[in-house]
Amino acid sequence: MQNKTTATNRYAFLPVNDSRKRRVRGLWIRNGRYYVQMRVLNAAGIMRPRKLPLKAINLEECRLEMAKKLLAREQGEILPAPAARPSLAVCCDRYLSFYEGVPDAGKRASTVCRERGNLSNVRRYLGAVRVDKLTKAMVMGFIEQRLKSGVKPRTVNLDIIAFRNVLKRARDDDYLVKLPTDGVKQLKVNTPMRPLLKPEELEKLFGACRTECPRTGGLLADYLHFLTYCGAREQEALRVTWDQVNFERKHVLIGADGLAKNRTGRAVDFNARLEAHLRDMHARRAPDSRFLFPSPRRKAGEDRPCLRLRSALEAVRKKAGLPHVGFHDLRHFFASYCVMSGIDFKTIAEWLGHESGTMLIDRVYGHLAAGHKQLMAQKVSFALPSVSPPAPQIESATPR
């Protein structure tokens, strides 16, 4: 048997000949080790040629071990070849296509769209790397590059969250064991707390609606009042329909379509202003729409909600002379005035649709108006209550 293992072909598979220089079918040698080539199932279930290493050190042992390998193949004891590890870009595509193709998989379309944008940033930097070759140092390099390009820390955190979701899916597919994002902490985000809107500022905002936006001013005013009195989020409020307003039970259902942030609906009980506002809106509602805030651009016979009012709000805000007002500020206003009205945090959390409970109300939404805090300060007393000395005990005169 001749083994051609010269320096030039040391790492190449070379055919093996017997002592009479005849080719031994299916037997190869590389760097002094023998391999048998046979057709076996690959990861896709297709029969393909594959070279399997042998422990034999001579031709006689090779032939005996080859026979055993063939028998093991017939009995199904030879496992398919492991699938090749895909690149991160391929994993991103599989992750997004899954959630786009399965609407009930647990992610809203808006969330998938946002994650696609986040993952496009990751792919530009790490897309060509095989997913099992990613390291924590590569992740930190990506973060550093994004920060140097002027991206805000909060945006980088969102990129890493989407990146981690893709890696978790790759781990479920057995492409890797440990996530390279393990131990990567979120960047600190310094978000200045915006002051709580004052009631007089809100009145200026409401008053500017009709004068600045003749076409959508009435719709915007109704919408702003609704957000102020129930604390709903921007998009979930636009999708509320009249059959979700129950005047008999005195509540309105928010997120009943399952598209709320936590995908669960909630009932917001009527306060006096919310009930009065909804009754007024109901009396003048559009007869051809089931939505509280129908689209002003809908065609005849079409019923769809208004999708965006941000440009209208921007124009009204400038007219009112307010530095900045967003729809989420009205949610803060509602929560803060609920706190100052003495409503317990658990009830407020249920109205707002918070799964995290009362802590978020206390830390994020619990703004207090200056007048309320000054009123509370007047109740502080540093005078210790007078304590009368205990009455002396009189011993009984009864003889022992």
Side-chain angles (χ1 to χ4, degrees):
M1 181 169 57
Q2 297 178 357
N3 303 332
K4 302 176 182 179
T5 55
T6 61
T8 57
N9 54 22
R10 179 178 179 184
Y11 297 104
F13 283 101
L14 302 175
V16 176
N17 299 329
D18 60 13
S19 59
R20 299 175 62 180
K21 297 184 179 181
R22 293 178 301 184
R23 173 78 173 86
V24 180
R25 185 178 179 182
L27 189 61
W28 300 79
I29 189 170
R30 183 179 70 171
N31 196 22
R33 185 169 186 178
Y34 293 101
Y35 293 80
V36 58
Q37 179 174 304
M38 62 177 62
R39 296 174 66 84
V40 295
L41 289 174
N42 62 7
I46 303 174
M47 296 293 286
R48 286 289 185 267
R50 179 182 172 190
K51 292 182 174 64
L52 304 176
L54 302 177
K55 298 180 180 179
I57 59 174
N58 55 52
L59 182 56
E60 289 72 17
E61 293 180 359
C62 285
R63 286 173 170 164
L64 180 60
E65 193 171 351
M66 288 169 63
K68 293 180 179 179
K69 291 285 186 184
L70 290 171
L71 180 61
R73 183 189 66 177
E74 298 301 326
Q75 296 176 351
E77 297 178 1
I78 298 181
L79 298 177
R85 298 298 188 265
S87 65
L88 176 63
V90 173
C91 289
C92 290
D93 290 338
R94 291 177 180 175
Y95 171 83
L96 293 170
S97 62
F98 172 76
Y99 284 106
E100 289 174 343
V102 185
D104 297 332
K107 288 185 181 291
R108 297 178 297 172
S110 58
T111 302
V112 178
C113 182
R114 187 192 70 239
E115 287 190 334
R116 178 177 289 278
N118 296 129
L119 293 175
S120 66
N121 302 321
V122 180
R123 291 178 61 159
R124 281 196 296 269
Y125 187 77
L126 297 171
V129 182
R130 227 172 67 179
V131 67
D132 59 323
K133 298 298 182 182
L134 291 168
T135 63
K136 184 178 178 180
M138 293 179 181
V139 178
M140 299 305 297
F142 164 75
I143 294 175
E144 182 179 0
Q145 185 191 54
R146 292 284 284 163
L147 292 175
K148 287 182 177 179
S149 64
V151 178
K152 299 294 184 181
R154 182 178 181 275
T155 303
V156 179
N157 288 339
L158 293 176
D159 290 345
I160 296 300
I161 291 174
F163 183 22
R164 186 179 290 112
N165 290 339
V166 172
L167 293 176
K168 287 180 179 179
R169 177 64 186 272
R171 181 181 60 188
D172 294 340
D173 292 335
D174 292 332
Y175 291 144
L176 71 165
V177 177
K178 184 178 180 181
L179 303 186
T181 54
D182 288 348
V184 177
K185 298 181 180 179
Q186 285 198 343
L187 300 175
K188 292 184 178 180
V189 180
N190 297 322
T191 305
M193 182 177 291
R194 282 150 53 178
L196 179 66
L197 285 172
K198 300 176 181 178
E200 54 268 25
E201 292 176 330
L202 282 178
E203 291 302 323
K204 291 175 61 177
L205 191 68
F206 299 151
C209 288
R210 298 185 184 276
T211 58
E212 189 63 22
C213 301
R215 183 176 181 181
T216 60
L219 177 67
L220 178 62
D222 286 341
Y223 180 61
L224 295 178
H225 279 91
F226 183 75
L227 295 183
T228 304
Y229 300 149
C230 75
R233 299 181 181 91
E234 176 187 357
Q235 290 299 317
E236 62 187 13
L238 290 174
R239 297 190 298 268
V240 177
T241 57
W242 281 113
D243 60 352
Q244 294 164 359
V245 179
N246 194 320
F247 290 105
E248 182 179 351
R249 295 187 178 182
K250 294 184 179 299
H251 68 229
V252 55
L253 298 179
I254 306 294
D257 54 1
L259 299 178
K261 186 175 182 180
N262 54 13
R263 302 184 72 85
T264 57
R266 64 188 184 277
V268 178
D269 300 284
F270 285 170
N271 53 65
R273 292 201 177 185
L274 177 60
E275 181 177 8
H277 180 56
L278 287 174
R279 289 188 179 277
D280 177 59
M281 286 182 59
H282 188 265
R284 50 185 174 81
R285 70 187 185 279
D288 60 338
S289 178
R290 61 191 179 94
F291 293 98
L292 271 66
F293 309 104
S295 172
R297 299 183 179 182
R298 68 189 189 281
K299 300 177 183 179
E302 183 184 19
D303 187 16
R304 59 186 178 91
C306 183
L307 298 180
R308 287 177 66 89
L309 288 169
R310 291 195 177 188
S311 57
L313 176 64
E314 182 68 15
V316 168
R317 181 193 64 78
K318 292 181 180 179
K319 181 68 176 181
L322 300 176
H324 179 78
V325 175
F327 293 123
H328 208 71
D329 291 318
L330 304 180
R331 183 172 168 86
H332 282 253
F333 182 90
F334 172 80
S336 299
Y337 272 84
C338 284
V339 172
M340 290 185 286
S341 300
I343 310 298
D344 62 276
F345 282 8
K346 187 177 186 301
T347 300
I348 301 174
E350 291 180 358
W351 286 343
L352 295 177
H354 281 165
E355 292 182 334
S356 56
T358 62
M359 185 177 297
L360 189 63
I361 304 296
D362 185 29
R363 296 180 57 184
V364 180
Y365 292 99
H367 302 306
L368 296 178
H372 177 81
K373 290 185 288 186
Q374 292 172 2
L375 180 63
M376 294 297 102
Q378 300 303 317
K379 296 184 178 182
V380 178
S381 175
F382 295 99
L384 296 177
S386 57
V387 180
S388 56
Q393 297 181 356
I394 302 176
E395 295 183 0
S396 175
T398 305
R400 298 178 181 178

